[in-house]
Amino acid sequence: MAPATATAVASPSTSSRLLHRSLLSPTPTAARCLRPPLCRGRLRTVRQVVANGDVSSPSSDVAAEESAAAPKIGKRVRVTAPVRVHHVSKAPDLDICGMEGVVKQYVGIWKGKRITANLPFKLEFELRVDGQDKPVRFFAHLREDEFELVEDE
């Protein structure tokens, strides 16, 4: 029985192109050093900086911002600005001005760092729709100046 042989056709990958260029290049090999150990060292340094970065301890201004937003979470609020939402499928193009909801979350701080949330307060609303027993619950993100706290009676 004859041994099985296989032939592989090389694909024109990036590494084969580089090899082809280096074989045809007129410059000496020492002048074309790519220095892979140096690149690996830089990558290792970047990994160490990211791994050693202190994410758990927030700075004083971030902590102050988070503590200022904390009392609003869980409070009942009323929307004062004319805001239209389009993501509620049961009530398309809904104007939520005057509706009351609950502040669920402050999303301006994430893992102890300030993020650029344009609408940092996440509010939950319930809307009664004709023909349904249960109200439709939906969320909307708003700025602090677009709602006011409602006094509990």
Side-chain angles (χ1 to χ4, degrees):
M1 180 176 240
T5 59
T7 58
V9 178
S11 65
S13 67
T14 306
S15 59
S16 65
R17 285 187 203 138
L18 290 174
L19 180 63
H20 184 68
R21 283 186 193 155
S22 66
L23 292 175
L24 297 178
S25 175
T27 58
T29 307
R32 287 184 278 111
C33 181
L34 296 177
R35 292 181 269 195
L38 181 62
C39 295
R40 284 191 203 117
R42 273 191 258 153
L43 183 62
R44 193 173 304 120
T45 305
V46 170
R47 282 189 203 144
Q48 288 172 352
V49 169
V50 170
N52 295 337
D54 191 13
V55 179
S56 61
S57 63
S59 63
S60 62
D61 59 338
V62 172
E65 180 180 345
E66 196 168 24
S67 64
K72 294 182 177 108
I73 296 175
K75 300 291 183 180
R76 193 136 185 89
V77 294
R78 180 181 303 117
V79 180
T80 58
V83 178
R84 295 181 100 53
V85 294
H86 302 277
H87 65 279
V88 184
S89 61
K90 301 289 182 179
D93 197 31
L94 176 67
D95 185 14
I96 62 171
C97 184
M99 286 185 69
E100 291 186 8
V102 178
V103 178
K104 286 295 185 179
Q105 187 180 9
Y106 179 73
V107 297
I109 307 291
W110 184 66
K111 291 187 177 180
K113 292 185 177 181
R114 178 180 289 123
I115 60 171
T116 57
N118 296 332
L119 308 169
F121 287 95
K122 182 179 179 180
L123 281 69
E124 179 184 20
F125 296 97
E126 289 186 357
L127 177 67
R128 294 268 179 207
V129 178
D130 295 335
Q132 284 194 340
D133 297 333
K134 296 188 332 186
V136 176
R137 293 174 50 193
F138 65 94
F139 293 93
H141 289 263
L142 299 176
R143 288 189 301 267
E144 189 173 4
D145 62 343
E146 293 177 331
F147 63 87
E148 64 184 6
L149 293 175
V150 176
E151 299 296 325
D152 293 330
E153 298 172 0

